[in-house]
Structure formats: C-alpha cells, structure tokens
Amino acid sequence: EGRPAVYCGGEHTFLRHPKSGVGYQLGGCGLGFDHDRPKASKYVAKVPVTAAEVIIPGYYHNLLRQADGQCFAYGCGRQAPNDGQLGKGTTDEDTTPVPIAAFETAGLGGHHTVATREGGGVWAAGAGWQGQMG
C-alpha cells in the first residue's frame, strides 16, 4: 500500500496518504490550533483539502496543490506576525486552506513565499525587510 509522504515545516509536520492524497498535520501551525494546549494529541488534524499532490511547507505556513490543479495556502501567525506570505494580498492569518493563484513550484521561508506561475512568471509575497525577495 505504500508509506505516507512526510513534509516538515518549522513547527509542524504534514503527512500525505500515498494513494488518496489525504493530508494530516501534526503540530501547532495553522488549522486553528491553540499553542497553549497541554496535550500533544490535540495537535493532530486532517487537512480539509482533497488529494493534495504537492505540499510545500514553510516555517509558519504551507502551500498545497491538489491533483486537479487547485492551489491553497494556510498559516499560523502566533509566533511571528503574518507578513502576507500566504500570497492572497492581505496579512490575515488563515487557519484553514484558502484558494490562491496557481503555482508550478515554490519556495517558502519563515516570512515569505516565492513561486513560479504555470505558463511562466514569478510571484513573491511576504516580508522583504532583509532583502529576501530580491
């Protein structure tokens, strides 16, 4: 049946089922978790997207692409302010995946995202206060 794919961010781990693509997250980044909960078992949740094909973790946020090409972002702003790194044009924190522009590949840092668009081009979002976005 295969083994789950494992992806690690700064404060979370994402597991993807090898056949269904269903994702589970462990850790306190996003998905409505409360960092002050005393039990580790409270930090496990099914990620509400279908068939996650591409998972790209950042330190405080994740990008997901489903098999049908839909792209999503979500992230936690508790440990550091959300600097707009979710790529949706705001600095709001999203604890559930929200649709974003399609991407082909991406790299995620602690406070920024840089992605290539399908068909060409690049987009960047988030903090640039240390020159990390060029």
Side-chain angles (χ1 to χ4, degrees), residues 1 4 7 19 28 103 111 113 124-125:
E1 177 146 336
Y7 307 87
K19 292 192 184 226
F103 64 88
H111 301 269
T113 297

Side-chain angles (χ1 to χ4, degrees), residues 25-88:
Q25 183 169 302
L26 294 76
C29 179
L31 298 180
F33 289 114
D34 177 351
H35 288 265
D36 298 321
R37 289 184 184 170
K39 292 188 176 187
S41 64
K42 301 286 184 181
Y43 288 108
V44 178
K46 183 177 178 182
V47 178
V49 296
T50 57
E53 183 178 67
V54 175
I55 297 98
I56 305 171
Y59 198 86
Y60 296 110
H61 63 301
N62 292 322
L63 294 188
L64 309 171
R65 187 174 66 219
Q66 294 182 157
D68 65 4
Q70 287 185 292
C71 297
F72 298 87
Y74 68 95
C76 174
R78 167 96 192 269
Q79 299 299 324
N82 184 329
D83 292 312
Q85 67 264 33
L86 299 182
K88 57 188 194 90

